[in-house]
Amino acid sequence: MARRKRATKRVVLPDPKFKDRLVTRFINSLMIQGKKSLAERVFYDAMDIIEEKMKEDPLKVFKRAVENVKPALEVRPRRVGGASYQIPIEVRPDRRTALSIRWIIQNSRSRDKKIEAGLSAELMDAANSTGGSVRQRENTHRMADANKAFAHYRW
């Protein structure tokens, strides 16, 4: 952790097809071992599948999916007198987006053998408030709700 200066947030450039920064963040998270062109191809193929199946703008479906998966609360461990408590805290906006992107990608990878099909299916499910990533958000909220008795330990 830096002691002198805060790390500056770098602004990502919009993607070439949709001209959207959120899409670029998603593609960068999807990328493995620096293979950005492969990640772009996978994402755009998944968007084509979504457009074909849902007959609506795939960018709107994608944004709705990311919005539906964003968590409002999460739990953080805090040691108090030798015991560790799970303390519910609000999630910062940039972390909310990062978590939702991470959960969608994680659930789409475990979903189907072909990543394009798994990603498109997970995005469509998340846009309809179903699927593994939405379930993960619900579990996070449930855990925070169960531990709200320890909220006074928040710092």
Side-chain angles (χ1 to χ4, degrees), residues 138-152:
E138 294 299 326
N139 287 341
T140 304
H141 282 182
R142 204 173 296 122
M143 183 110 74
D145 196 43
N147 288 302
K148 71 180 173 197
F150 304 121
H152 65 281

Side-chain angles (χ1 to χ4, degrees), residues 8-14 21 24-25 28:
T8 55
K9 277 284 195 190
R10 280 187 243 140
V11 180
V12 291
L13 296 171
R21 294 183 197 279
T24 305
R25 282 183 67 183
N28 287 345

Side-chain angles (χ1 to χ4, degrees), residues 90-105:
E90 293 86 26
V91 186
R92 294 188 326 271
D94 54 330
R95 181 165 164 75
R96 291 179 68 181
T97 308
L99 281 172
S100 67
I101 288 171
R102 194 180 312 153
W103 290 344
I104 290 171
I105 291 171

Side-chain angles (χ1 to χ4, degrees), residues 23-39:
V23 172
T24 305
R25 282 183 67 183
F26 193 87
I27 289 172
N28 287 345
S29 297
L30 188 62
M31 175 172 54
I32 298 176
Q33 293 184 347
K35 298 187 178 187
K36 190 162 190 166
S37 58
L38 179 64

Side-chain angles (χ1 to χ4, degrees), residues 8-82:
T8 55
K9 277 284 195 190
R10 280 187 243 140
V11 180
V12 291
L13 296 171
D15 76 299
K17 187 173 180 182
F18 293 108
K19 311 282 188 271
D20 197 290
R21 294 183 197 279
L22 183 62
V23 172
T24 305
R25 282 183 67 183
F26 193 87
I27 289 172
N28 287 345
S29 297
L30 188 62
M31 175 172 54
I32 298 176
Q33 293 184 347
K35 298 187 178 187
K36 190 162 190 166
S37 58
L38 179 64
E40 284 177 341
R41 192 176 74 222
V42 165
F43 181 78
Y44 294 142
D45 287 351
M47 294 304 252
D48 291 340
I49 293 169
I50 289 171
E51 189 173 30
E52 194 177 288
K53 285 187 178 176
M54 292 188 84
K55 305 281 191 264
E56 61 179 295
D57 183 26
L59 188 62
K60 287 182 180 174
V61 173
F62 168 72
K63 287 193 173 190
R64 195 168 64 227
V66 171
E67 200 61 41
N68 285 347
V69 177
K70 284 183 180 179
L73 294 169
E74 69 177 342
V75 290
R76 284 269 175 90
R78 172 108 157 92
R79 283 187 63 85
V80 178

